[in-house]
Amino acid sequence: MSYKRILTIQDISCVGQCSLTVALPILSACGHETCILPSAVLSTHTAGFSGFTFHDLTEDIPAIQAHWQKEGIQFEGIYTGYLGSTQQVGYVKNILDTMGTENAVKIVDPAFADNGKLYPIFNDEYVAAMRTLCPSADILLPNITEACFLSGMEYKEAYDERYIKELLAALAVLGCSTIVLTGVGYSPDKTGVVVYQNGEMKYYEHKRISKGCHGTGDVYASAFTGAVLRGKTLFEAAKIAADYTVACIENTQDDPTHWYGVKFETALPKLMELL
Ligand code: PXL
């Protein structure tokens, strides 16, 4: 049993089943000590709610990091998601570069866009900052939209394997050559994930249940991180995270009142079984 200390850096959306409220329970269920650095506090996530509050925590980060350094605290895994500001990306890069143990695994989920569009608070300057985070990551975990914004390639709704390979090669140039690309589907009722390593693509295809469930990217990234830190290979972890995410969506799809996230909690025993 590998019990690791993981730091995850992303926002607290108080309501909405995403970011830290998803990462913390999932990483705990995977059997890891989970430390958090909240990037911002929001009343809800920003996809579908209007009038949400947003409190950026950028200013707090240097003092938190300095205290950890004074205490000699280091992390065996660092996993970043939705961040609070462009300036914060620089602070997070420094944390990735200095706060890991010798063999720490660093996973960056860009978490700034989906379905061809940036999330509300982000802009081109943020995307440019996010590019600078790539060389500090061991594994980059974008969806197709984020991969397009980062690499500068055109976003397409329909594509073939050649386009995906080109996209991954263009992304790898930014400095992280191990990429797990999510939401890759070559036919309407299928989706899947591509694991790209040493220029080679390996594809795990599974059924697509419904389009655009909120928070599934965070569910996927958290389960993937938990599985990798449990010593699974990248492909095994990618598959476990996909099967778990599908189970979460299946848990939720027959409840129209639950539009803002997925019921990931009742599927946690399945994740533990898959591990
Ligand atoms: O799930 C990604 C995410 C995280 N945090 C906040 C969001 C979103 C997606 O919209 O709004 C605040």
Side-chain angles (χ1 to χ4, degrees):
M1 175 78 189
S2 51
Y3 179 81
K4 303 280 199 234
R5 178 187 297 137
I6 303 176
L7 170 66
T8 183
I9 310 175
Q10 42 192 319
D11 70 280
I12 297 175
S13 283
C14 298
V15 172
Q17 283 173 314
C18 67
S19 312
L20 284 181
T21 63
V22 162
L24 193 47
I26 290 177
L27 291 170
S28 299
C30 292
H32 301 299
E33 174 187 353
T34 309
C35 307
I36 62 166
L37 181 51
S39 57
V41 180
L42 295 86
S43 51
T44 64
H45 66 58
T46 65
F49 294 101
S50 58
F52 53 84
T53 68
F54 185 96
H55 180 68
D56 173 23
L57 293 173
T58 299
E59 301 284 301
D60 293 10
I61 291 180
I64 292 172
Q65 185 186 1
H67 182 219
W68 289 345
Q69 282 167 326
K70 190 167 143 272
E71 295 292 331
I73 294 166
Q74 291 195 306
F75 305 98
E76 293 160 293
I78 304 179
Y79 148 45
T80 73
Y82 187 103
L83 303 181
S85 70
T86 300
Q87 185 194 358
Q88 193 179 106
V89 179
Y91 293 158
V92 168
K93 183 174 175 65
N94 186 262
I95 290 174
L96 284 165
D97 292 344
T98 64
M99 300 302 289
T101 57
E102 200 181 341
N103 297 314
V105 181
K106 298 162 197 173
I107 297 172
V108 170
D109 175 356
F112 62 72
D114 205 0
N115 300 313
K117 287 199 233 96
L118 291 173
Y119 295 149
I121 71 156
F122 299 123
N123 55 25
D124 289 346
E125 208 189 324
Y126 184 84
V127 175
M130 193 48 76
R131 280 188 198 112
T132 69
L133 216 49
C134 297
S136 299
D138 296 313
I139 306 166
L140 195 64
L141 208 105
N143 58 37
I144 293 182
T145 304
E146 290 155 349
C148 288
F149 272 106
L150 288 170
S151 66
M153 263 183 66
E154 184 195 351
Y155 173 76
K156 290 184 181 174
E157 294 272 339
Y159 43 78
D160 57 13
E161 207 180 299
R162 220 176 95 187
Y163 168 83
I164 294 297
K165 189 152 197 188
E166 219 181 300
L167 181 60
L168 287 163
L171 196 52
V173 168
L174 297 176
C176 178
S177 57
T178 301
I179 302 165
V180 175
L181 185 66
T182 59
V184 180
Y186 299 113
S187 61
D189 58 340
K190 297 276 184 194
T191 188
V193 51
V194 176
V195 175
Y196 184 76
Q197 217 175 359
N198 307 319
E200 295 291 321
M201 301 201 295
K202 226 171 147 185
Y203 183 49
Y204 179 59
E205 187 180 62
H206 57 86
K207 62 181 162 179
R208 180 202 297 274
I209 303 167
S210 68
K211 220 171 159 245
C213 259
H214 296 306
T216 49
D218 299 340
V219 167
Y220 186 90
S222 303
F224 173 80
T225 301
V228 167
L229 271 294
R230 280 283 291 264
K232 301 290 178 193
T233 66
L234 292 191
F235 193 73
E236 281 167 349
K239 185 173 178 304
I240 288 169
D243 292 345
Y244 173 59
T245 306
V246 168
C248 295
I249 299 170
E250 277 173 342
N251 262 356
T252 316
Q253 62 176 349
D254 56 359
D255 181 354
T257 66
H258 206 100
W259 57 268
Y260 50 84
V262 288
K263 299 177 183 175
F264 69 94
E265 303 87 348
T266 46
L268 283 172
K270 179 180 168 94
L271 174 60
M272 289 154 92
E273 218 173 276
L274 290 169
L275 286 168

